[in-house]
Amino acid sequence: MSEARRHLDQAEALCRERGVRLTPQRRTVLRLICEAERPLSAYEILDRMHQGARRPAPPTVYRALDFLLQQGLIHKIESLHAFVGCKHPQHPHTGQFLVCTDCGRVNEIHGRPLEDGLQQAARQAGFHTRKPVVELLGTCAHCHGRDC
Amino acid sequence: MSEARRHLDQAEALCRERGVRLTPQRRTVLRLICEAERPLSAYEILDRMHQGARRPAPPTVYRALDFLLQQGLIHKIESLHAFVGCKHPQHPHTGQFLVCTDCGRVNEIHGRPLEDGLQQAARQAGFHTRKPVVELLGTCAHCHGRDC
DNA sequence: TCATAGTTGTTACATTATAACATTTCATCC
DNA sequence: GGATGAAATGTTATAATGTAACAACTATGA
């Protein structure tokens, strides 16, 4: 089964469990994000939504994105204004990302020491973190040392 | 001496050392950023630049911001589309930020363990980091537990 | 069936950012 | 001082990203 397909099925199941509706529109947006091999901007998604038919207006895609973000099915990469599928939507979490500026691909990483370090640094300042944004921009292993 | 004033003098000295020009326009943008007690968007800076005179066009402020970013005199907070003064411009560095979504203030933090954790996580994936974006959004000690 | 909450459609507009080219200013050399 | 080239700024237009507000539709349960 394809990676994208697995994501969609899992999302379907999660939404059923949670009693929220993964409508066709939302499903389409999620599918487009999962099928892409790099983050898509809202307007790239819009462009891919109108297969023959008329292109929907921006609020359409932004509303679907809001829903998917709330459900933890996708993440937003702030420094790219773009969206990627979440690799582990079962338990809601924030992501840390390795963003390759050569090939455009994004890797979601996890690491106790990393997350602990962040939490500790925040706590030292009496700060309560609600939404960490951690995006390392650079060159991935694949692209490093070659033209891309 | 005021905090903002100290920043400006330091910037002045650094630019002289480096042989780059902190022109009046760039200095004004830096001053506005340093005087503000929260991050300013490019257009907020534009609004504050025209004291009586005609408001400059966007490229004016974006060019000044580019210069200041290059010189490490300011940082951009990606998740806010806004700019803050750098607390330690002597040696170029990337910043980690605690962004209070109540009062809007931003705290620049530093921590070996944090930075090491990030670098280690990246290296494990064979990733070469060029520009880390670390912004923890939440509530600062001052705002936590009260209306703000 | 009817009420209602949730979802989608639609128009208009706000905000953020850059491309492209003209003009001016500055430092340097002669 | 005047010529020259590089850097900085001015100007116009437009691209890219994101939201407010209200109308219309749809699924679902009382």
Side-chain angles (χ1 to χ4, degrees):
Chain A
M1 191 193 299
S2 82
E3 189 74 357
R5 187 55 203 259
R6 193 180 57 71
H7 272 134
L8 287 172
D9 288 347
Q10 192 169 21
E12 206 88 69
L14 279 170
C15 287
R16 217 175 308 122
E17 275 177 37
R18 296 173 186 169
V20 296
R21 291 167 56 198
L22 186 63
T23 62
Q25 192 124 238
R26 292 166 174 172
R27 196 175 195 285
T28 300
V29 171
L30 180 58
R31 178 175 56 75
L32 289 169
I33 291 173
C34 290
E35 285 175 351
E37 56 181 23
R38 56 175 187 78
L40 295 182
S41 77
Y43 282 76
E44 285 173 328
I45 294 168
L46 269 178
D47 287 339
R48 295 177 189 202
M49 282 177 82
H50 77 316
Q51 303 294 12
R54 174 176 173 199
R55 173 181 146 144
T60 298
V61 75
Y62 278 104
R63 285 194 281 231
L65 290 170
D66 283 347
F67 171 86
L68 298 171
L69 285 169
Q70 267 175 35
Q71 296 302 319
L73 298 172
I74 61 173
H75 294 293
K76 176 169 188 180
I77 308 295
E78 295 288 343
S79 51
L80 299 181
H81 309 290
F83 303 84
V84 290
C86 173
K87 295 272 190 289
H88 313 286
Q90 309 85 334
H91 46 92
H93 65 283
T94 57
Q96 288 93 47
F97 303 96
L98 304 178
V99 180
C100 181
T101 51
D102 277 7
C103 66
R105 288 192 180 77
V106 168
N107 229 309
E108 186 175 344
I109 58 174
H110 295 275
R112 277 275 113 232
L114 204 175
E115 286 167 32
D116 290 349
L118 288 169
Q119 273 313 317
Q120 191 193 324
R123 255 202 308 274
Q124 275 179 12
F127 190 88
H128 291 245
T129 305
R130 193 167 21 72
K131 183 196 172 200
V133 173
V134 178
E135 301 167 3
L136 307 186
L137 279 63
T139 316
C140 72
H142 189 240
C143 287
H144 189 251
R146 66 184 196 80
D147 303 332
C148 219
Chain B
M1 188 193 300
S2 81
E3 187 76 358
R5 187 56 201 259
R6 192 179 59 70
H7 272 134
L8 286 171
D9 289 349
Q10 192 171 21
E12 205 87 70
L14 279 170
C15 287
R16 217 176 307 121
E17 275 177 34
R18 296 172 187 170
V20 297
R21 292 166 55 198
L22 187 62
T23 62
Q25 192 123 237
R26 291 166 175 174
R27 197 175 194 286
T28 300
V29 171
L30 180 57
R31 178 174 57 74
L32 290 169
I33 290 172
C34 290
E35 286 174 351
E37 55 180 22
R38 56 175 188 76
L40 295 182
S41 77
Y43 282 75
E44 285 174 326
I45 295 167
L46 269 179
D47 288 338
R48 296 177 188 201
M49 282 178 82
H50 76 316
Q51 303 294 12
R54 173 176 173 198
R55 173 181 144 143
T60 299
V61 75
Y62 278 104
R63 285 193 281 232
L65 290 170
D66 283 347
F67 171 85
L68 298 171
L69 285 169
Q70 266 174 38
Q71 295 301 320
L73 299 171
I74 61 173
H75 294 292
K76 177 169 189 182
I77 309 293
E78 295 288 344
S79 50
L80 298 182
H81 307 289
F83 302 85
V84 291
C86 174
K87 295 270 188 293
H88 314 285
Q90 309 86 333
H91 46 90
H93 66 283
T94 57
Q96 288 93 45
F97 304 96
L98 303 179
V99 180
C100 180
T101 51
D102 277 7
C103 67
R105 287 191 180 76
V106 168
N107 228 308
E108 186 175 343
I109 58 174
H110 295 276
R112 278 274 113 232
L114 204 174
E115 285 167 34
D116 289 350
L118 287 170
Q119 272 313 317
Q120 190 193 323
R123 254 200 310 272
Q124 275 178 10
F127 191 89
H128 291 244
T129 305
R130 191 166 22 71
K131 182 195 174 202
V133 173
V134 178
E135 303 167 4
L136 306 187
L137 280 63
T139 317
C140 73
H142 189 239
C143 287
H144 190 250
R146 67 184 194 80
D147 302 332
C148 219

